[in-house]
Amino acid sequence: MAAAARLSRKLLAGASMLALVACGETLSDFDFDMRGSGGSGADTSDAARNQTAARPAPDNRGVISYPNYQVAVANRDDTVVTVANRVGVPAAELARLNGLPVDAPLRAGEVLVLPGRVSEPSAATGAITTGPITPGSVDITTLAGGAIDRADGQGISTSTLSSGEEPVRHQVQPGETAFTIARRYNVSVEALADWNGLGNDYAVREGQYLLIPVVIGSPSAQTTTVPGQGSVAPEPPSSATPLPPESPTPAPVPTPPPANLEPERTEVSSAQFQMPVAGSIVRDFDADNFTGIGISAAAGAPVSAADDGTVMLITRDTNQNAILVIRHEGDLLSVYSGIDDIAVARGDSVSRGQKVAVVKAGDPSSLFFQVRKGNETFDPLPYLQ
């Protein structure tokens, strides 16, 4: 079942990439995950490839038990109610904890965190051990055969595989995607999907709990992956050794206000791109944290093509935010998000300054504008000045 789901996901991803390659672009790792534009970068090509163990097999009820929490794994045609009845917890509590309607249908393999502990797995429930999983308590035969085969094929001894570590339990926050969560914990998005029974689109929902796959051969990885944990405090100064003389603290340099390029616009401009919307730049480009610029604009304000080009892609991210990509001379791409009422279609030729959409209503409303070539992003300001 997991192998079939992986194949289906790859076929869907391949179809999307073919649509892009048909436009002449080589984009084997192109990722339009716009959540990355706010903090993690939009390119998933550098996502970690740590080898991960397979998820431990549940008992006959679907229960996987760890020392600090338990989860239930859904079967085909399960709902929240049927899972709750099978494991013996109130359906309303199970639904509320996992951010689901009580009658929500579930995918085969989908994971639900239990609101309280139920009876531990045992031989009576089809488990090979009694009690919660602890390091070393799960025999290697409980790992999925596919994971073992992959490990053997890479020269990794199966004796080093361990599914006994308790995984980090991550609750999805607003704006997060499977890609950004996988990057955060240094695992592949496919492994994250397999462990949690995600669909072919890798969609996650706010409030959902995800189990972070256990990295093979690194039992301590799950205790240090959360940012901020495991940091070593610097050694305090010795009371016997005087501190060096302090240098005068330089006066802080005042931060200039955000640039507003709108007053400098002219009908004839030598800039390669024109401002896509009338407004002030409220967030600057940062290659590590914000791979574009944020332009404050009124909801409904027209969004214009930055230059002549061809509409390459119109899509949506996992939060259903519209994304428009225009291809320009020299294989440059301009990317627009935070938009609504798109007025063009894929394949259309557009002219510099032509209206292509409007700014989406928000609090506050703003346009995200990005310049890229393939998977490399550039600061848009030099192209606008």
Side-chain angles (χ1 to χ4, degrees), residues 56-193:
D59 68 5
N60 293 342
R61 302 167 299 172
V63 173
I64 302 175
S65 182
Y66 290 105
N68 293 303
Y69 63 86
Q70 294 176 312
V71 299
V73 180
N75 297 323
R76 184 182 298 277
D77 299 325
D78 260 339
T79 65
V80 174
V81 171
T82 59
V83 171
N85 290 341
R86 185 165 64 244
V87 302
V89 297
E93 291 184 21
L94 183 64
R96 182 168 55 253
L97 177 61
N98 290 275
L100 286 167
V102 71
D103 58 348
L106 303 172
R107 293 181 300 276
E110 187 167 352
V111 170
L112 299 179
V113 174
L114 299 184
R117 295 196 76 86
V118 298
S119 58
E120 297 292 346
S122 64
T125 66
I128 62 172
T129 59
T130 299
I133 295 172
T134 56
S137 69
V138 177
D139 190 85
I140 190 64
T141 57
T142 63
L143 296 177
I148 298 173
D149 293 340
R150 288 195 299 273
D152 287 338
Q154 297 176 9
I156 301 173
S157 169
T158 55
S159 64
T160 66
L161 299 177
S162 172
S163 60
E165 295 296 325
E166 180 173 287
V168 170
R169 183 177 53 172
H170 177 88
Q171 188 172 29
V172 179
Q173 301 302 308
E176 287 189 319
T177 70
F179 292 95
T180 59
I181 295 169
R183 284 196 295 268
R184 174 181 179 183
Y185 290 98
N186 212 30
V187 297
S188 72
V189 70
E190 186 172 280
L192 185 71

Side-chain angles (χ1 to χ4, degrees), residues 215-282:
V215 176
I216 293 174
S218 180
S220 63
Q222 298 302 311
T223 64
T224 60
T225 53
V226 177
Q229 289 187 358
S231 301
V232 178
E235 183 177 350
S238 170
S239 59
T241 305
L243 294 174
E246 295 185 0
S247 301
T249 303
V253 178
T255 302
N260 183 358
L261 300 183
E262 181 58 21
E264 301 178 13
R265 290 183 61 190
T266 59
E267 292 301 323
V268 179
S269 172
S270 61
Q272 183 167 355
F273 285 162
Q274 73 164 39
M275 285 284 285
V277 69
S280 300
I281 297 175
V282 293

